Amino acid sequence: MVAGVSSGNARPQTPTTTNKIERWDVFELTLAGPKEGNPFLDTWLKATFRKDAREIVVNGFYDGDGVYKIRFMPDSLGAWSYTTDSNTTALKGKTGSIEVIAPSPGNRGPARVRDTYHFGYDDGTPYFPFGTTCYAWVHQPEERQLETLASLKASPFNKLRMCIFPKWYQYNHGVPPRYPFPREGDKNDYTHFNPDYFRHIEKRILDLREMNIEADLILFHPYDHWGYQEMPADVDDRYLKYVIARFSAYRNVWWSLANEFDLMRKKNSSDWDRYAQIVTESDPYGHLRSIHYSRAPYDYSRVWCTHASMQDYAFDKAAAWRATYRKPVIFDEMMYEGNINSRWGNLSGEEMTRRFWLCITAGVYGGHGETYVTESDIENDNAVLWWSHGGKLSGTSPQRIAFLRKIVEETLASGGGQIGFTQLEPPYYPSAKRSQDEAYLFYFDFHQPLYYDFPLPEKESYRAELIDPWAMTITPVAGKFSGKSQLKLLGKPYMAVRFTRV
Amino acid sequence: MVAGVSSGNARPQTPTTTNKIERWDVFELTLAGPKEGNPFLDTWLKATFRKDAREIVVNGFYDGDGVYKIRFMPDSLGAWSYTTDSNTTALKGKTGSIEVIAPSPGNRGPARVRDTYHFGYDDGTPYFPFGTTCYAWVHQPEERQLETLASLKASPFNKLRMCIFPKWYQYNHGVPPRYPFPREGDKNDYTHFNPDYFRHIEKRILDLREMNIEADLILFHPYDHWGYQEMPADVDDRYLKYVIARFSAYRNVWWSLANEFDLMRKKNSSDWDRYAQIVTESDPYGHLRSIHYSRAPYDYSRVWCTHASMQDYAFDKAAAWRATYRKPVIFDEMMYEGNINSRWGNLSGEEMTRRFWLCITAGVYGGHGETYVTESDIENDNAVLWWSHGGKLSGTSPQRIAFLRKIVEETLASGGGQIGFTQLEPPYYPSAKRSQDEAYLFYFDFHQPLYYDFPLPEKESYRAELIDPWAMTITPVAGKFSGKSQLKLLGKPYMAVRFTRV
């Protein structure tokens, strides 16, 4: 028996001899077991981790070549013990203990729902999602994946939507470097997993974790060429359990049951219910869970979803949806900045920026994607589109999204009230405030008033700043403001104003 | 008895001795009658105009000082005769004849609904409404009214929304130069009209007629300070009949029962039904009729409305509304270009322009308004806002609306199919075609595709032009296009493409 323990943000792949581990890091227990038969189907393994009165049961998985693993993400400091169980003697009754130490800087634990409509890390820090999308980046050549990681590092994005299965769609007709199941010709052997496929994804999840980027993992999707969208039900279920056993100890994992679930014609609502149940019951850590649609919205009031993951553009309904679902709302897909033929992939950078501001001032969150091509890309059939392949970001919105993220974090990250914004009631402009009137943010969209009477509370005093979201400037306004306050504005569209309580 | 006849676009105020009159001009019969008592209440007057088997009954009106008038707009060439009737001997049994001659250039007759969703003049010419709004312009100082007329003459606008009653609202707190009823202190004498008030409005309607601008007359409105929004029912009815008797012979008149009817809390739906009935029955010419709302849309499928006059911004629903009502749809109020505090009055010129393009490519029509103020206007409390006062146009959208109007007229004014555009089915961009595939117009809004596959018919051949709606340029694309046709576009937002059948 070999116990592998990682600490901090280092890779768990490097086993050490001590069982000291950071809170919210991964403890990995590696066990040798039988290779005979088909361990993927025949052998089960789990471990119970105990601390004081708590017991957490974690499923293990077969990693090939007679290697079995159990991964555990401890959520509290101190001494934990464990005992394994299995239907195989070699894996059964193994015991041990780990010592959980304080997290190093940057390790904030998993993101959770906080204050009903918002998110925070387990260490109490607020988390404001500013996501982007590279659906198939882990299935591209290694060099491109490294380029994607470098781009992400320099970007404002702290969440990434990505598919576990490879993708087949416009601009996506390549052969993936690996398959999740052994494959001969066009036939999948669903009785076995390809551990290397999942190991590779784990490496990328950890790369994201090092950059504090949440990995919003898409478990199923309809852009398929290999059969993964229409596997037998028992294979679907085994796949989900395998993925959860492998990935759930990574604190930055989110589960997205699907992208555009309603385009998967072979699934029905009881399939989605069953998947939701498996994900909910098999993940011992309660990672964030949702599902993304194409046409008709999913009913996000369903208990299993932690938040709404929308594909919509009705920003004026965002606040009402939030109130109806009583959950955070993320407009994960609100079209992409780019210039391709498809309507969803050719927003101007200005419009993408505008949509982020509309989300924030509605008290919800937006998602980015980028789909630029050049004439020569098209001629040579080698276009690299961030939205799917990753690569480089070339649009004009990311830097403005970075600017907005900074404003949001400055405005919301500290103070005593609920984190996050709440939209003001009409008839105001897209605008929001913090729960205890700590701050107000107004966005004027295509309106260009020369003066505006801002509805501030009578009993508080605020300083004001004019914000140009495109030029990325913040200009303080002289004076203090209380109650209904008239400010002279710039008389041009797409401007914003922030009030911060003195 | 004095018969006054006008011809062409000249003023009917100048009586002549011949009864020769242009088709669709105003024949005005002036009769002397009793001054005693209260002729407004006591005396009725009408005339029957006859030609071959046709009989048209027209109500006359009392113009004060013992003068009675009957106005008639003949709609067909040749000899007409008339006979008056009245409850007063002096006005009864007067007979005469008129000779209706061909209209002079520019006189196209009244506008009607054509091809279900569009408009045309009675002479067969299509009419594409590009309206603007100067609610209270006729109640401003004379000099400003002349300035307004000069501005209109230089503008693209061929329809004007204007109130019959004076207006009391933000930026509108002046004393009107005339009142519709004799007024002492704050008391209206509803038993009499002030003929001078209505004569003045007639002069302005004729000024508009000379410029081929339709006068979309608003009969009631809620921005009132003098009691006109809550007159007794019998006064409302008498007012409507008086206005119709005076104004309906002007071919450029439209009836708008109200602006924001739903804000007039003292009226109920049976009041509006009654007004609709009076307007429908009293107007012998069937001028265009509608009503404008603030919040919940009126049911424009009602038989009496000739078209929908909307205050809405849901341009993506426009085609569905059009199909539902089976009538032309005009977005008469879709906010105004300007910079005032109110949300409805501070659109950028770009956004106003965009909204016109969205209307046209949805197969409906838009309406303009302008609400700019300067700092010194506000300091000196003397702001002149086009939307209500008229005056000068200073925005950036009117010249772009002129550009669009030219495109619409070029594209739609000739050819064999139905006039007007029909929206293409999704998933296309805001885009429309002529009924017999004569032309296609695509507007890309905030989308910026580098290439786009246009869905042209297989069996037709088109020439293409790239249109920049803001720079106002039209650039021909080399070649002819049939069937699904890919064009390289400019890769920037708010561009348009027109295809014209060869």
Side-chain angles (χ1 to χ4, degrees):
Chain A
M1 173 191 135
V2 183
V5 176
S6 75
S7 97
N9 279 333
R11 299 284 169 79
Q13 282 82 349
T14 314
T16 67
T17 50
T18 159
N19 279 350
K20 240 179 213 169
I21 184 180
E22 280 188 21
R23 189 180 183 192
W24 303 307
D25 198 357
V26 180
F27 169 70
E28 184 172 284
L29 179 65
T30 303
L31 301 170
K35 297 183 193 187
E36 301 75 37
N38 180 356
F40 290 110
L41 297 183
D42 303 338
T43 309
W44 60 262
L45 167 67
K46 61 184 180 182
T48 303
F49 288 79
R50 293 185 184 83
K51 176 171 179 282
D52 306 325
R54 291 182 68 201
E55 284 197 351
I56 298 175
V57 180
V58 174
N59 290 319
F61 61 92
Y62 183 54
D63 202 29
D65 291 324
V67 175
Y68 294 78
K69 289 189 172 173
I70 290 170
R71 291 182 181 147
F72 175 59
M73 179 186 77
D75 64 0
S76 65
L77 301 181
W80 290 75
S81 65
Y82 61 83
T83 313
T84 68
D85 194 9
S86 174
N87 58 349
T88 295
T89 315
L91 304 173
K92 195 173 176 152
K94 307 293 174 189
T95 61
S97 66
I98 57 179
E99 187 192 345
V100 178
I101 61 173
S104 55
N107 173 2
R108 299 171 183 157
R112 310 279 184 200
V113 171
R114 278 264 300 282
D115 294 340
T116 310
Y117 300 118
H118 303 284
F119 300 94
Y121 295 108
D122 254 6
D123 75 347
T125 322
Y127 166 73
F128 304 107
F130 284 82
T132 187
T133 309
C134 302
Y135 288 119
W137 76 288
V138 298
H139 310 297
Q140 306 306 312
E142 179 70 12
E143 197 181 349
R144 171 128 321 122
Q145 295 180 48
L146 299 178
E147 189 183 47
T148 305
L149 288 166
S151 299
L152 285 168
K153 198 173 177 79
S155 85
F157 304 115
N158 60 10
K159 177 168 95 70
L160 181 64
R161 280 181 69 74
M162 54 187 274
C163 297
I164 294 182
F165 287 122
K167 175 169 180 170
W168 184 267
Y169 196 59
Q170 50 171 290
Y171 300 107
N172 286 265
H173 296 124
V175 175
R178 302 168 194 81
Y179 293 106
F181 305 96
R183 187 171 171 91
E184 291 232 336
D186 61 357
K187 208 160 159 46
N188 298 306
D189 171 9
Y190 289 131
T191 64
H192 292 76
F193 293 104
N194 173 8
D196 185 48
Y197 185 91
F198 297 92
R199 250 180 248 128
H200 173 71
I201 295 176
E202 283 156 20
K203 191 166 84 174
R204 294 308 172 210
I205 295 172
L206 282 164
D207 288 329
L208 297 176
R209 198 184 77 166
E210 281 177 31
M211 299 193 285
N212 282 317
I213 295 174
E214 303 293 300
D216 195 359
L217 300 177
I218 296 165
L219 296 165
F220 293 103
H221 66 256
Y223 331 106
D224 176 47
H225 180 64
W226 304 274
Y228 310 134
Q229 68 169 326
E230 48 185 28
M231 304 189 297
D234 63 319
V235 179
D236 284 346
D237 298 359
R238 195 159 60 240
Y239 155 74
L240 289 174
K241 288 175 187 163
Y242 191 71
V243 160
I244 293 164
R246 293 197 74 114
F247 298 166
S248 64
Y250 303 118
R251 63 178 175 268
N252 60 325
V253 157
W254 299 23
W255 307 118
S256 180
L257 289 198
N259 217 59
E260 301 193 321
F261 84 97
D262 46 337
L263 301 188
M264 298 185 74
R265 304 296 182 194
K266 296 282 171 75
K267 313 280 186 209
N268 59 35
S269 65
S270 60
D271 290 322
W272 295 111
D273 287 352
R274 198 177 76 249
Y275 305 151
Q277 189 177 354
I278 291 169
V279 171
T280 307
E281 291 179 355
S282 307
D283 167 11
Y285 314 107
H287 286 290
L288 292 164
R289 291 179 300 263
S290 194
I291 185 169
H292 164 278
Y293 62 89
S294 171
R295 291 171 187 172
Y298 189 83
D299 174 10
Y300 293 108
S301 60
R302 300 286 301 277
V303 171
W304 73 266
C305 313
T306 54
H307 63 283
S309 168
M310 312 200 71
Q311 176 169 194
D312 231 295
Y313 327 117
F315 302 100
D316 57 338
K317 293 185 180 160
W321 284 332
R322 194 186 96 151
T324 301
Y325 300 136
R326 304 280 306 160
K327 289 176 188 177
V329 170
I330 305 180
F331 279 61
D332 269 312
E333 194 173 342
M334 46 188 193
M335 298 187 177
Y336 309 121
E337 179 183 347
N339 66 354
I340 62 170
N341 204 323
S342 299
R343 190 176 162 79
W344 46 260
N346 52 34
L347 291 186
S348 65
E350 288 86 347
E351 180 66 19
M352 185 94 247
T353 302
R354 171 184 178 251
R355 291 179 177 208
F356 268 86
W357 276 86
L358 291 176
C359 283
I360 290 299
T361 50
V364 305
Y365 299 95
H368 165 270
E370 189 176 289
T371 45
Y372 276 108
V373 290
T374 64
E375 282 179 80
S376 77
D377 287 344
I378 292 173
E379 276 159 27
N380 303 322
D381 195 21
N382 64 356
V384 176
L385 289 83
W386 174 264
W387 134 86
S388 191
H389 310 114
K392 289 201 176 94
L393 283 162
S394 62
T396 53
S397 70
Q399 56 175 316
R400 275 83 189 188
I401 295 168
F403 176 73
L404 174 60
R405 180 178 164 189
K406 189 160 165 283
I407 287 173
V408 167
E409 289 180 346
E410 273 176 14
T411 312
L412 298 180
S414 62
Q418 293 193 341
I419 59 172
F421 277 122
T422 299
Q423 193 175 48
L424 298 185
E425 290 296 309
Y428 303 120
Y429 292 86
S431 51
K433 64 164 194 160
R434 286 202 63 181
S435 64
Q436 297 181 344
D437 298 328
E438 298 95 325
Y440 285 74
L441 187 65
F442 289 80
Y443 176 59
F444 286 90
D445 201 8
F446 42 66
H447 299 282
Q448 50 177 17
L450 189 60
Y451 292 90
Y452 188 66
D453 295 323
F454 292 89
L456 301 174
E458 294 290 345
K459 294 184 179 169
E460 307 285 358
S461 178
Y462 294 85
R463 58 189 177 80
E465 292 154 308
L466 303 183
I467 297 174
D468 183 329
W470 190 256
M472 296 178 285
T473 56
I474 300 180
T475 310
V477 179
K480 300 259 180 296
F481 303 92
S482 289
K484 189 174 167 179
S485 300
Q486 189 173 82
L487 260 69
K488 178 154 188 281
L489 306 179
L490 298 174
K492 57 181 188 170
Y494 304 109
M495 298 294 107
V497 175
R498 173 169 60 176
F499 292 93
T500 311
R501 196 167 58 194
V502 178
Chain B
M1 172 190 136
V2 184
V5 176
S6 74
S7 97
N9 278 335
R11 299 284 167 79
Q13 281 83 347
T14 315
T16 68
T17 51
T18 159
N19 280 349
K20 237 177 213 166
I21 185 182
E22 280 187 20
R23 187 180 183 190
W24 302 307
D25 197 358
V26 179
F27 168 70
E28 184 173 285
L29 179 65
T30 302
L31 301 170
K35 295 186 191 185
E36 301 74 40
N38 180 356
F40 290 112
L41 297 182
D42 303 340
T43 308
W44 61 261
L45 168 66
K46 63 184 180 181
T48 304
F49 287 81
R50 291 185 184 85
K51 177 171 180 284
D52 307 327
R54 291 181 68 199
E55 283 195 354
I56 298 176
V57 179
V58 175
N59 291 318
F61 62 92
Y62 182 54
D63 201 27
D65 291 325
V67 176
Y68 292 79
K69 289 189 172 177
I70 290 170
R71 289 181 182 150
F72 175 59
M73 179 186 74
D75 64 0
S76 66
L77 301 182
W80 291 74
S81 65
Y82 63 82
T83 312
T84 68
D85 194 9
S86 176
N87 58 348
T88 296
T89 316
L91 304 172
K92 193 174 178 148
K94 307 293 173 187
T95 61
S97 66
I98 55 175
E99 187 192 343
V100 178
I101 61 172
S104 55
N107 173 0
R108 297 169 184 160
R112 310 278 183 201
V113 171
R114 279 265 300 281
D115 294 341
T116 309
Y117 300 118
H118 304 284
F119 301 94
Y121 295 108
D122 253 6
D123 75 348
T125 323
Y127 165 72
F128 304 107
F130 284 81
T132 187
T133 310
C134 302
Y135 288 120
W137 77 289
V138 298
H139 310 297
Q140 306 305 313
E142 178 71 11
E143 199 181 348
R144 174 132 315 127
Q145 295 181 47
L146 298 178
E147 188 182 51
T148 305
L149 287 167
S151 299
L152 285 168
K153 199 175 175 78
S155 85
F157 303 116
N158 60 11
K159 177 168 94 72
L160 180 64
R161 281 181 70 74
M162 53 186 273
C163 296
I164 294 182
F165 287 122
K167 176 169 180 170
W168 185 266
Y169 195 60
Q170 52 168 289
Y171 300 107
N172 285 265
H173 296 123
V175 175
R178 303 166 195 85
Y179 293 108
F181 305 96
R183 187 171 170 91
E184 290 229 336
D186 63 355
K187 210 164 155 48
N188 298 305
D189 171 9
Y190 288 132
T191 65
H192 292 76
F193 293 104
N194 174 9
D196 186 48
Y197 185 91
F198 296 94
R199 250 181 248 128
H200 172 70
I201 294 177
E202 282 154 24
K203 193 167 85 172
R204 294 309 172 208
I205 294 172
L206 281 164
D207 287 330
L208 297 175
R209 198 184 76 166
E210 281 177 30
M211 299 192 289
N212 283 316
I213 295 174
E214 303 294 302
D216 195 358
L217 299 177
I218 296 164
L219 295 164
F220 294 104
H221 66 255
Y223 331 106
D224 177 45
H225 181 63
W226 304 275
Y228 310 133
Q229 68 168 326
E230 46 186 30
M231 304 189 296
D234 63 322
V235 179
D236 284 346
D237 298 0
R238 196 159 59 241
Y239 155 74
L240 289 175
K241 287 174 186 163
Y242 191 72
V243 159
I244 292 165
R246 293 197 71 116
F247 297 167
S248 64
Y250 302 119
R251 62 177 174 267
N252 61 324
V253 158
W254 299 23
W255 307 118
S256 181
L257 290 199
N259 217 58
E260 301 191 323
F261 83 97
D262 46 337
L263 300 188
M264 298 186 72
R265 305 292 182 200
K266 296 283 170 76
K267 314 278 186 210
N268 60 34
S269 67
S270 60
D271 290 322
W272 295 111
D273 287 352
R274 198 176 77 251
Y275 305 151
Q277 191 178 354
I278 290 170
V279 172
T280 305
E281 291 179 355
S282 307
D283 167 11
Y285 314 108
H287 286 291
L288 291 164
R289 293 179 300 265
S290 195
I291 185 169
H292 165 277
Y293 62 88
S294 172
R295 291 169 188 176
Y298 188 83
D299 174 10
Y300 293 107
S301 61
R302 301 285 300 277
V303 171
W304 74 266
C305 313
T306 54
H307 63 283
S309 168
M310 312 197 74
Q311 176 168 196
D312 231 296
Y313 326 116
F315 303 100
D316 58 337
K317 291 183 182 162
W321 284 332
R322 191 185 99 151
T324 302
Y325 300 136
R326 303 280 304 159
K327 288 174 189 176
V329 170
I330 305 180
F331 280 59
D332 270 312
E333 194 174 341
M334 46 189 194
M335 299 188 176
Y336 308 122
E337 180 183 346
N339 66 354
I340 63 170
N341 205 321
S342 300
R343 189 177 162 79
W344 46 261
N346 52 34
L347 291 185
S348 65
E350 288 85 346
E351 180 66 18
M352 184 94 249
T353 302
R354 170 182 178 254
R355 290 178 178 210
F356 268 87
W357 276 86
L358 291 175
C359 284
I360 290 299
T361 50
V364 304
Y365 300 96
H368 165 270
E370 190 177 289
T371 44
Y372 276 107
V373 290
T374 65
E375 282 179 80
S376 76
D377 288 343
I378 292 172
E379 277 160 26
N380 303 321
D381 194 21
N382 64 354
V384 176
L385 290 85
W386 174 263
W387 135 87
S388 192
H389 310 113
K392 290 202 176 95
L393 283 161
S394 62
T396 53
S397 70
Q399 56 174 318
R400 275 82 188 190
I401 296 167
F403 176 73
L404 174 59
R405 180 177 165 189
K406 190 159 164 284
I407 287 173
V408 167
E409 290 181 346
E410 272 175 16
T411 313
L412 299 180
S414 63
Q418 294 192 338
I419 58 174
F421 278 122
T422 299
Q423 193 174 48
L424 297 186
E425 289 297 311
Y428 304 120
Y429 292 86
S431 52
K433 64 166 193 159
R434 287 202 61 181
S435 63
Q436 296 181 346
D437 297 330
E438 297 95 326
Y440 284 74
L441 186 65
F442 289 80
Y443 176 58
F444 285 90
D445 201 5
F446 41 66
H447 299 282
Q448 51 178 14
L450 190 59
Y451 292 90
Y452 187 67
D453 295 324
F454 291 89
L456 301 175
E458 293 289 346
K459 294 184 177 169
E460 307 285 358
S461 179
Y462 295 84
R463 59 190 176 79
E465 293 154 306
L466 303 183
I467 297 173
D468 184 328
W470 190 254
M472 296 178 286
T473 56
I474 300 180
T475 310
V477 179
K480 301 260 180 295
F481 303 92
S482 290
K484 187 172 167 180
S485 300
Q486 188 172 84
L487 259 69
K488 178 154 188 278
L489 306 179
L490 298 173
K492 57 181 189 171
Y494 305 109
M495 298 295 108
V497 176
R498 172 168 62 177
F499 292 93
T500 311
R501 196 166 58 192
V502 179

